[in-house]
């Protein structure tokens, strides 16, 4: 398989799953477990196909475990949902050590932008427009409602992906 085809395939799998997670979180406030499980299951074969070494793969798995621990703490503090914690962990495996800081930074910035957008949509002057849309838009615009943080996680993951272990690592020229 050529390097370009392999990169494209990895991008489609990774991007497709995180975008599906974002859409599901935005419309239902849930991220199904199958999405995070599919991301986690696809990581090792993608890393091996990219020419990553077993130690590098192990380190990326440790990054995922570490992010799961961080996510569990954030979930316990009621800052994010359980699906968000699992998505963060699964996505961070694909990004590895070198993509972790950009992932956290981009996710935080996207989360801030999402919060500002929700404040605007939930304001008295925009809320009436949401009421005429689909039910999920009305739910999203309800003051005091939940924040679909999976959207911010997906933006952060997609932004960090080119900088992550599989795309810019030692084997980027595969």
């Amino acid at each position: 398989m050529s390097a370009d085809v392999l990169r494209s395939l990895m991008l489609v799998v990774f991007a497709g799953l995180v975008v599906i997670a974002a859409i599901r979180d935005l419309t239902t406030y849930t991220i199904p477990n199958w999405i995070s499980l599919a991301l986690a299951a696809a990581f090792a074969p993608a890393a091996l196909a990219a020419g990553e070494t077993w130690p590098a793969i192990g380190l990326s798995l440790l990054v995922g475990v570490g992010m799961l621990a961080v996510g569990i703490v954030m979930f316990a503090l009621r800052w994010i949902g359980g699906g968000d914690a699992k998505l963060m962990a699964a996505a961070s495996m694909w990004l590895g050590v070198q993509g972790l800081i950009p992932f956290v930074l981009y996710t935080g910035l996207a989360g801030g932008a999402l919060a500002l957008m929700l404040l605007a949509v939930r304001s008295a002057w925009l809320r009436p427009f949401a009421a005429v849309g689909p039910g999920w838009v009305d739910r999203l615009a309800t003051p005091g409602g939940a924040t679909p943080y999976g959207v911010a996680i997906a933006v952060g993951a997609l932004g960090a992906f080119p900088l992550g272990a599989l795309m810019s690592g030692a084997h980027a020229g595969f």
Side-chain angles (χ1 to χ4, degrees):
M1 184 177 303
S2 78
D4 289 337
V5 171
L6 183 58
R7 281 178 187 256
S8 297
L9 185 58
M10 285 192 306
L11 179 61
V12 166
V13 168
F14 182 79
L17 289 170
V18 297
V19 166
I20 291 168
I23 291 168
R24 288 294 303 265
D25 201 19
L26 187 66
T27 58
T28 67
Y29 289 121
T30 59
I31 300 172
N33 287 335
W34 70 263
I35 295 173
S36 297
L37 289 171
L39 268 174
F43 167 70
L48 287 171
E52 288 295 321
T53 64
W54 283 107
I57 292 170
L59 188 56
S60 289
L61 290 173
L62 283 174
V63 167
V65 170
M67 284 302 285
L68 182 60
V70 169
I72 289 169
V73 170
M74 294 172 75
F75 173 72
L77 294 170
R78 302 179 141 230
W79 292 351
I80 62 173
D84 300 326
K86 291 176 267 189
L87 179 63
M88 263 186 350
S92 67
M93 287 189 312
W94 285 73
L95 304 170
V97 172
Q98 64 195 90
L100 186 59
I101 297 297
F103 174 49
V104 171
L105 177 65
Y106 298 158
T107 300
L109 291 171
L114 176 64
L116 291 175
M117 285 189 275
L118 287 175
L119 283 172
V121 169
R122 292 172 178 174
S123 69
W125 54 279
L126 284 182
R127 172 102 176 83
F129 295 105
V132 298
W136 67 269
V137 173
D138 188 42
R139 213 172 33 252
L140 192 64
T142 300
T147 300
Y149 207 73
V151 173
I153 294 167
V155 169
L158 292 172
F161 190 65
L163 307 170
L166 297 185
M167 287 298 172
S168 69
H171 303 289
F174 61 85

